[in-house]
Structures are given as structure tokens and as C-alpha cells.
């Protein structure tokens, strides 16, 4: 069975709402780019809500000059959009999921394949978390506290998570990877968790403390793989 992975750019205070350009502060980070590419390569499904889907489609589907690999991946990968109103997705390899969420997710995760990644889509993420459908969280934690905005776990039930990986990048962004406890207890539905761009890190005080030194590196205004925001700005794409 396939794993459902929620991956997000997130502030240290848990905000995933992409406003104020807090995500751009990390600048260009080749190490993070490699981790993002590894995550992309480990997936063959992309799950989003309608609004996120339409923004991604309108920006990425027509792109012919992309050198990051994001456009090629999105055009090729199986895309699933949760919507009760969308009739014609207008993007090849897209399936509209309009039935009960638990049934639809159960159906697509039962198919042969690798990870299904969900990013953006805050309302959908809340619904997936609330229904206990998420197998893994991959959070790119940016060194910024926003103080307000929509958070990943707003209004969701308490969850005990198991740390699988902790990686600090030169930009001071940190990748934290968590399995849900039920996945750990059940052997990840028969599959071990895969490292993303690096080895798994055992959760322990000494190991985590050793990783809390952030090397310095020059910053630039470049953003890894981007998508159009409603106000015409760009969002980092972490698929």
C-alpha cells in the first residue's frame, strides 16, 4: 500500500499559510534542493485541494523553460484533486476525488505505487489529519516566527508522532520527518519509512543536540521551485 505524506514549508510557530514571504528568507540552498528532489523522486502521487490544484496547474502546466524538474514531475505524476465542484481538471493524469474523503483516500492508497504527497491545501490537510489518514509528516521548518496565520494542526485531534529524521540545512531551514504512531506500530503498512536525501536520525537528546548547529552560508533571493500566489508572488514548491 502507498503512504500518504503531508509535506509543508512551516514556521517555527506552526504556520503554513504562505503570506508575508517568510518562506523566501532561506534563500537558495543547494542541500535543501537535493532533499526536495529526493522527496519528489520517492513519490508518484500528488494530492491537493481544488484551489491549490488550480494555482499549480495554471503556473506549472504551460511551463517549457523549467530546469528544476518540478514541471516535468507534475506533468507526469498521478494527480488527485479533492473537489465536489471541479468537472474538468484540465491537466493530464488528474483524477477528481469527489466522494467521501476516507473512502477516496483508502482507494488511492490501496493502489500499487509509492508515496502520495499532499502539500499546501490547508483545509484538506486539516481534514486528512482529523480523519487519521496521514502516514508521515515532512516539515521544512523555516527560522521565522510569524505570530499569526493558519497552522498545520489547527483544530485537529492530539497526535503522538515518532521522529524519523532531523536535518539542518545551511540556510538554517530544518527538515523534520515524523511517522504517525499507528504507522510505526503497524510497520508502516508493511513498508519501512524511506530517508529523504539523507540517513534516518534516531530520536534522542544527544543526536538532536548535535544537529542544532547551523552552518553559515550566503543568502540570495532565489526561491526553490515556485508556484504563483493569488497576489502574483511566488510560493516555494516542496513536492
Amino acid at each position: 500500500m502507498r503512504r500518504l505524506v503531508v509535506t509543508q514549508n512551516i514556521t517555527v510557530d506552526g504556520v503554513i499559510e504562505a503570506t508575508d514571504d517568510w518562506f523566501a528568507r532561506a534563500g537558495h540552498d543547494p542541500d535543501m534542493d537535493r532533499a526536495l528532489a529526493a522527496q519528489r523522486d520517492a513519490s508518484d502521487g500528488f494530492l491537493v485541494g481544488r484551489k491549490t490544484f488550480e494555482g499549480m496547474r495554471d503556473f506549472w502546466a504551460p511551463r517549457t523553460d523549467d530546469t528544476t524538474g518540478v514541471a516535468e514531475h507534475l506533468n507526469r505524476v498521478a494527480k488527485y484533486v479533492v473537489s465536489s465542484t471541479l468537472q474538468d481538471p484540465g491537466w493530464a493524469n488528474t483524477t477528481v476525488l469527489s466522494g467521501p474523503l476516507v473512502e477516496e483516500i483508502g482507494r488511492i492508497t490501496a493502489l500499487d505505487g509509492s508515496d502520495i504527497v499532499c502539500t499546501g491545501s490547508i483545509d484538506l490537510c486539516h481534514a486528512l489529519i482529523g480523519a487519521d489518514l496521514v502516514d508521515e509528516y515532512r516539515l521544512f521548518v523555516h527560522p521565522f516566527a510569524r505570530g499569526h496565520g493558519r497552522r498545520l494542526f489547527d483544530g485537529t485531534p492530539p497526535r503522538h508522532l515518532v521522529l524519523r529524521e532531523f536535518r539542518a540545512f545551511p540556510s538554517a531551514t530544518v527538515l523534520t520527518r515524523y511517522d504517525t504512531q499507528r504507522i510505526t506500530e503497524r510497520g508502516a503498512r508493511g513498508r519501512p519509512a524511506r530517508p529523504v536525501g539523507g540517513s534516518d536520525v534516531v530520536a534522542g537528546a544527544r543526536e538532536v543536540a548535535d544537529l542544532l548547529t547551523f552552518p553559515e552560508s550566503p543568502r540570495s533571493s532565489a526561491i526553490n521551485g515556485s508556484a504563483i500566489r493569488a497576489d502574483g508572488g511566488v510560493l516555494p514548491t516542496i513536492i
Side-chain angles (χ1 to χ4, degrees):
M1 296 181 71
R2 304 158 89 184
R3 291 166 56 90
L4 177 57
V5 178
V6 165
T7 183
Q8 299 282 5
N9 287 304
I10 189 168
T11 64
V12 295
D13 57 342
V15 174
I16 58 173
E17 188 176 11
T19 55
D20 297 347
D21 289 342
W22 54 262
F23 46 81
R25 296 170 182 265
H28 179 61
D29 187 332
D31 289 351
M32 185 173 168
D33 289 349
R34 284 188 285 272
L36 293 167
Q39 174 175 269
R40 211 163 52 225
D41 294 343
S43 68
D44 65 359
F46 182 55
L47 174 69
V48 284
R50 179 185 59 81
K51 292 180 181 178
T52 299
F53 172 81
E54 290 176 341
M56 300 285 278
R57 178 198 62 196
D58 294 348
F59 182 78
W60 287 110
R63 290 288 297 273
T64 58
D65 58 348
D66 174 52
T67 60
T68 67
V70 174
E72 188 276 334
H73 173 79
L74 286 175
N75 283 321
R76 170 181 49 82
V77 76
K79 293 171 285 295
Y80 304 102
V81 54
V82 176
S83 175
S84 61
T85 60
L86 186 65
Q87 299 297 319
D88 180 9
W91 201 357
N93 304 319
T94 298
T95 301
V96 177
L97 307 181
S98 57
L101 184 63
V102 172
E103 294 178 13
E104 293 282 28
I105 298 304
R107 179 174 62 82
I108 64 174
T109 54
L111 300 173
D112 290 334
S114 53
D115 292 342
I116 300 172
V117 172
C118 177
T119 191
S121 308
I122 299 175
D123 290 335
L124 174 58
C125 283
H126 289 167
L128 294 170
I129 296 168
D132 197 20
L133 296 172
V134 180
D135 298 324
E136 180 182 339
Y137 298 92
R138 294 179 192 157
L139 307 179
F140 289 83
V141 184
H142 292 248
F144 186 78
R146 187 160 184 262
H148 61 93
R150 301 186 70 189
R151 291 171 167 80
L152 178 59
F153 294 101
D154 276 346
T156 64
R159 288 279 181 267
H160 180 75
L161 305 178
V162 179
L163 181 64
R164 300 297 300 172
E165 185 177 0
F166 182 106
R167 294 187 62 200
F169 298 106
S171 61
T173 297
V174 175
L175 167 62
T176 56
R177 252 181 92 208
Y178 297 94
D179 279 345
T180 56
Q181 187 173 32
R182 64 176 174 80
I183 291 301
T184 301
E185 292 171 348
R186 298 175 191 174
R189 290 182 177 168
R191 292 186 179 186
R194 290 190 291 269
V196 179
S199 300
D200 281 2
V201 177
V202 176
R206 177 171 296 177
E207 289 83 353
V208 171
D210 288 345
L211 288 168
L212 287 175
T213 300
F214 302 110
E216 295 183 1
S217 67
R219 304 289 181 86
S220 76
S221 60
I223 300 175
N224 176 73
S226 53
I228 285 293
R229 196 173 59 218
D231 62 4
V234 292
L235 305 179
T237 298
I238 58 175
I239 56 171

